[in-house]
Structure formats: structure tokens, C-alpha cells
Amino acid sequence: MNQNSTPLFDAIMRYIDLKPAYFRIPGHRFERGINSRWRDVVGDEIFKFDLTETPFLDDLAHPGAAIQDAQDLAREVFGSDHTYFLVNGSTCGNEAMIISTAIEGQKIAIPRNAHKSAVMGLVISGATPVYIMPELSREWGIQGGITPQDVETLFQEHPDCKGVMVVSPTYYGVCSDLRAIADICHAHGAALLVDEAHGAHLYFSDQLPEGALVQGADMAVQSIHKVTGSLTQSSMLHIKSKIIDNFRLATNLRIVQSTSPSYLLMTSLDMARHELAMHGKEMIANAVELASYARKEINQIEGMICVDRELVGTAGVKDMDMTRLPISARKVGLTGFELKSILFDEYGIDMELADYINALAIVTYANTKEDMDRLINALKDIARKNKGKKEIVNEVFLPSLPDYAMSLREAFFAPTKTIPWQEARGKIAGEMIAPYPPGIPVVYPGEIVTDEVWEYVENFRIRGRHLHGPEDGKLMEYKIIDPK
């Protein structure tokens, strides 16, 4: 195919050139109805791309022209059998993968570190989750990978499992052994679903781990906006499989996608694919080079540590995406949360996230050496100012997975009541709790708050650490499901 073409962009330009009298949605009528303060800053042209299913522009729900051509070009670039543009982010892609793999009465394996969209997929499908716990690096407080051995054990215990979902790479760049996991899944007649939201760039570099589709995944979802050049909320879903019902998947996508898809988002996917097709190898090589430079310099700073490849071969880690920079200042007494705050408040450097041990920088092709030097110099200054402070030691002892009293779907729709957290032992959870670090949910709605889970969470609560999921972030109160 002609990867130098941009079919959706060209179709929109053709429509704009007509200068039609416009009586359709949206109501702003190109740039004319947009707030002048906004237009004065960003200009007019971009608003002309915010259109609907006009002539020339195709229909995302039933594509057959420009959108289909753009998806086919993406299919070729990523090596899939079918590719779908997503305008509701990777969230809707994960949901579509799950509801296309298992329905009520069937089982699907979900990693405990899955994005919350996986929970929503289970609520929609009604499938029974069989949870897989990723390994954990206690030293770094970083979630590791899913091992092939754990997947094989899962099928021995649940031979009727319809599919396995794996997050690879993770936020921190951790990659599981997808090739081995794919072989195990296929030997048991099951599908491998990969949340590859952070991995679209892997297909364009020999210096990085292989992409999920190359390793045998049946479906993979990518947030093209996270590390390449599309706009936020735009993603792709790829199928490369003989066991996935493509018609069923396309139908399920209509459940989770907007019926008013943004042509700005879809055009950004078309243009990002074009850029990757034309210059992807150079782009990602630049990201790898910048990250390598920064990692080397950071690890020469006394008191600072940047994760290198020491995790490979441990904690279920098959490989690492080296464009991710998990940075720890624990040797100079700073948590990752503190490091992230200091970098922003005092140096104007905004990191992606933090946990108790690390602050994470994501390096892309669009960063510059000046960006890297600014980060390096700030870390040097922080290390100097905090030299001599007591080193922080991570303490992560995950509790056993709790039993569940009802399915996620039942729990989602069940009535809840709020009780004091101190009374939550033995109750049916009405909210997820995921302490950070390590960010792995220790209880989902519908599961029993065991003594072990309660004590683990309480240890985080009394120390004032981050708890994701509960409506009351301080966890003075907690929602439970009342069977009555």
C-alpha cells in the first residue's frame, strides 16, 4: 500500500475546499462559532476538521471509504489482519476485547494489574474473571510480568478459560514473555489479549522488545497518543488471529464507541500512522538514544538511581522498554511522590507518575537533549541538597487473593452502604482498593475483605499512603455490598 498517502486527511481537505453552506452538526460551523479568545491563540484551521459523517468522510461504525482506507494502512504498518480506530481511548478497546472473548458463564484470565477498563469489560460481558497476579520487584516496588508458568498452571486449573489478558509493556516498561504465553494459550484453544497501550512504538525499533502482534497475540490495543503522534483519546485495536470472530468484535465496538466520533481524533490517527510509516525507525531511535543518555547520566549522580536492565530475568520480566525512566531518590531519603513534587514545584519538570519509590519519566521521539539535560541537572541539585538523609526501604508484602462472593457484574449493580473502615473485615467489598505502591488491586467489588487484605490496607491507611479506588481517599469510610 502507499504509506505516503493520508486518505482521511485528504478527504477532509477535499470537503473543506468545497466551502459548503453547512447545516449539519456540529453547531460551531467550522471556525465561525468558536470562542474568539480560543481562536486568537490557536488559529482557525483546526476547527474546520471537527466535522461529522458528511459526504467523502465515511462512517466509523460502518467504514467503507476514507476511514477504511486509513485503517487498512495502519493494518499494514502494524502487521495485523484487521485494525480499528478507537475514539474512546484504549479503554473501549480493552472492553471490546473482553466482551468479544468471554460472556456470562464463561471464564477469562485477567491480570491483577489490569487497567480499570478491564473491570468495566467484565461488568459488560458478565464473564467470570480468573485473576493472575503479576510478579513484583520488592526492591523497586515495580510490578513485574506474568510468567508462562503461571499461565500454564491457570489452564491446568481452569481448562475452560476462553482467553488470557496481559498488560505488556506496563507503565514502567516491563514486558512479559508474550511469545511463550501465546503458545500456551493457543495450545489450550484460548486467545491472548494484550493491553499494549504503552507499546505502539515497539514495532519501529530493533533496540526495544518486540510488539505483541509479532509475538503471537490475537488482539492488541494501543494508545497511539501515549508515545507516538496522535491526539489524546485516540487509539487502535488490532486483530491478528484465526480464532477471533472479527464480525463479533466489530459489532461489540459499536457498544463501547461513541456514535459521534471525533474526526479530529481519527485524522490524528491517520497522520500519526503516516509519520510512523515514513519516519518511525528514526523517530524511535531518537527516543532510545535520548533515554539511554539520560539513564547513563542519572546513574552517575550520587544518590540517584534509574532502572536499567537489572529487572530482566527477575519478577517475571522478559524484557524492558528502555524509553521509560523509573528514577529513585530513595538513597537521599525522598519518596517518589516527593521527588515528583520537587521536580515540578522547584524545577518546572513534570513527570508522568510517582509511587513510593520511583518517579517515572516517559521519553518519546519528540523530546530533546535540552529536556534530558534539564532533568539531569535538576536531579543533581536535588541529590546535593538532600545528601546524608536516611535511605528509604520499600516494604511490599501483597496479601493472598481474596475469595469472591459475587461476580463483578452483580457487584457493580448491587446496592451498597457506607460503613466505618474499621468494620469492613469479612464484608463484601463495594469498591476496589489498590494501594500505591505497588498499584495492584488487593480487593475488587464482590470480593471478601479478608483479615489479611484489611491489615494490608490498614498499614497503608495509617501511614497516609495513596489508596486508589475508594470514594473516601482517606478510607475513614468504605462502601460494602449489603446482601439484604
Side-chain angles (χ1 to χ4, degrees), residues 8 49 51-53 57-58 67 261-267:
L8 187 52
F49 281 74
L51 297 165
T52 188
E53 291 87 351
L57 299 194
D58 208 356
I67 294 174
S262 167
Y263 278 81
L264 277 171
L265 297 183
M266 290 188 286
T267 302

Side-chain angles (χ1 to χ4, degrees), residues 53 58-64 68 71 84-88 92-93 95-97 99-100 124 237 245-261:
E53 291 87 351
D58 208 356
D59 179 354
L60 181 62
H62 299 278
Q68 186 59 59
Q71 291 182 155
Y84 296 92
F85 284 2
L86 307 178
V87 294
N88 288 15
C92 74
E95 292 167 348
M97 286 198 299
I99 63 180
S100 299
I124 298 169
L237 169 57
D245 185 337
N246 184 55
F247 176 77
R248 180 181 176 189
L249 178 67
T251 301
N252 288 336
L253 272 173
R254 294 177 199 130
I255 297 174
V256 295
Q257 290 256 58
S258 172
T259 56
S260 299

Side-chain angles (χ1 to χ4, degrees), residues 97-117:
M97 286 198 299
I98 289 172
I99 63 180
S100 299
T101 301
I103 57 175
E104 192 167 5
Q106 298 177 331
K107 297 176 183 177
I108 184 169
I110 302 291
R112 205 64 183 189
N113 63 333
H115 186 264
K116 60 186 177 182
S117 57

Side-chain angles (χ1 to χ4, degrees), residues 170-414:
T170 67
Y171 228 133
Y172 292 88
V174 167
C175 296
S176 298
D177 188 350
L178 296 181
R179 180 170 275 106
I181 293 172
D183 288 343
I184 294 168
C185 288
H186 297 156
H188 291 274
L192 173 59
L193 294 57
V194 180
D195 179 347
E196 199 178 27
H198 293 272
H201 60 307
L202 301 183
Y203 295 77
F204 303 92
S205 175
D206 294 334
Q207 298 175 274
L208 297 175
E210 291 181 310
L213 297 172
V214 178
Q215 296 187 66
D218 294 282
M219 293 186 281
V221 174
Q222 300 168 342
S223 295
I224 304 300
H225 66 92
K226 280 186 167 66
V227 287
T228 55
S230 71
L231 297 180
T232 296
Q233 199 175 307
S234 58
S235 298
M236 294 183 191
L237 169 57
H238 306 287
I239 303 176
K240 189 175 183 180
S241 178
K242 296 179 180 178
I243 59 176
I244 299 299
D245 185 337
N246 184 55
F247 176 77
R248 180 181 176 189
L249 178 67
T251 301
N252 288 336
L253 272 173
R254 294 177 199 130
I255 297 174
V256 295
Q257 290 256 58
S258 172
T259 56
S260 299
S262 167
Y263 278 81
L264 277 171
L265 297 183
M266 290 188 286
T267 302
S268 78
L269 288 170
D270 190 22
M271 302 308 286
R273 181 275 316 157
H274 173 264
E275 193 75 359
L276 288 168
M278 295 293 101
H279 310 292
K281 290 186 177 180
E282 306 97 282
M283 291 161 59
I284 308 308
N286 184 55
V288 172
E289 182 179 353
L290 288 171
S292 178
Y293 164 71
R295 179 177 283 103
K296 180 180 178 181
E297 293 295 318
I298 292 167
N299 280 327
Q300 290 177 357
I301 302 171
E302 185 179 357
M304 293 290 172
I305 316 171
C306 184
V307 175
D308 204 326
R309 297 188 61 81
E310 59 264 39
L311 288 178
V312 176
T314 70
V317 181
K318 175 65 174 179
D319 209 342
M320 294 285 295
D321 171 9
M322 301 305 287
T323 65
R324 301 289 163 121
L325 302 178
I327 302 166
S328 175
R330 64 180 184 268
K331 289 187 176 295
V332 291
L334 296 177
T335 66
F337 301 120
E338 292 168 332
L339 179 60
K340 184 177 186 296
S341 294
I342 292 169
L343 283 168
F344 184 74
D345 294 339
E346 300 182 21
Y347 299 90
I349 295 170
D350 202 1
M351 305 289 272
E352 171 65 20
L353 61 78
D355 58 41
Y356 186 66
I357 296 296
N358 312 285
L360 177 68
I362 298 176
V363 182
T364 78
Y365 65 96
N367 280 115
T368 64
K369 186 172 182 296
E370 288 73 23
D371 292 335
M372 301 298 105
D373 286 336
R374 189 171 172 182
L375 174 61
I376 292 162
N377 291 331
L379 293 172
K380 287 179 179 178
D381 199 39
I382 293 169
R384 178 183 58 79
K385 290 178 179 178
N386 292 276
K387 186 176 182 180
K389 288 187 177 180
K390 184 179 180 180
E391 180 175 351
I392 291 173
V393 178
N394 189 38
E395 298 177 3
V396 178
F397 303 98
L398 287 169
S400 303
L401 292 179
D403 292 330
Y404 65 90
M406 59 181 65
S407 71
L408 267 169
R409 173 185 268 180
E410 291 174 311
F412 184 82
F413 293 107

Side-chain angles (χ1 to χ4, degrees), residues 460-476:
F460 277 78
R461 189 191 71 84
I462 61 178
R463 297 185 184 187
R465 295 185 180 174
H466 289 236
L467 297 168
H468 284 214
E471 182 177 315
D472 178 3
K474 294 183 179 180
L475 205 60
M476 301 301 293

